[in-house]
Amino acid sequence: MSSSNSVTVHILDKEYSIICPPEERSNLVGAARYLDGKMREIRSSGKVIGADRIAVMAALNITHELLHRQERPEGASAGTTREQVRDLLERVDQALSDDPVSKKD
């Protein structure tokens, strides 16, 4: 792919140049905006600091949203997966709130 297929996105005050097909450009930009918004929400909550921790929490939240919205034909196993994600999110939130390094001073 040529550099003309490069898209620059901004996520949490950092610039990323990503190569993607022209037909996927708007999807990529939209995904980057969505991720940036989620990461800013988490950062502004004051519960989590550090870009890597914020990114993990955003990824978990987005995954949780996806699984919650997604209807699976398996029925019960989809519900089990959602419950596992919810439990994981709660445990991560608890661990981060108990971690003095992740709290703002």
Side-chain angles (χ1 to χ4, degrees):
M1 282 187 207
S2 69
S3 62
S4 65
N5 291 334
S6 180
V7 177
T8 301
V9 296
H10 298 272
I11 301 172
L12 207 59
D13 304 324
K14 289 191 179 185
E15 187 174 282
Y16 298 90
S17 185
I18 302 166
I19 295 174
C20 74
E23 64 273 9
E24 291 296 321
R25 181 184 178 105
S26 64
N27 288 336
L28 175 62
V29 170
R33 284 186 186 145
Y34 187 77
L35 176 58
D36 181 62
K38 288 293 184 184
M39 289 179 71
R40 288 179 185 282
E41 283 177 23
I42 292 166
R43 182 176 68 179
S44 69
S45 76
K47 294 180 182 178
V48 182
I49 60 171
D52 57 337
R53 288 175 178 256
I54 292 170
V56 168
M57 289 304 299
L60 286 170
N61 286 330
I62 292 168
T63 302
H64 172 69
E65 289 173 8
L66 175 66
L67 291 175
H68 184 68
R69 291 179 184 165
Q70 192 176 46
E71 295 205 359
R72 293 188 177 178
E74 301 93 34
S77 83
T80 302
T81 302
R82 279 191 219 103
E83 288 301 316
Q84 289 172 339
V85 170
R86 282 188 198 115
D87 182 53
L88 179 60
L89 283 171
E90 289 173 11
R91 291 186 349 215
V92 170
D93 281 338
Q94 182 62 44
L96 289 173
S97 68
D98 291 345
D99 183 0
V101 175
S102 67
K103 293 181 181 176
K104 281 188 175 176
D105 293 359

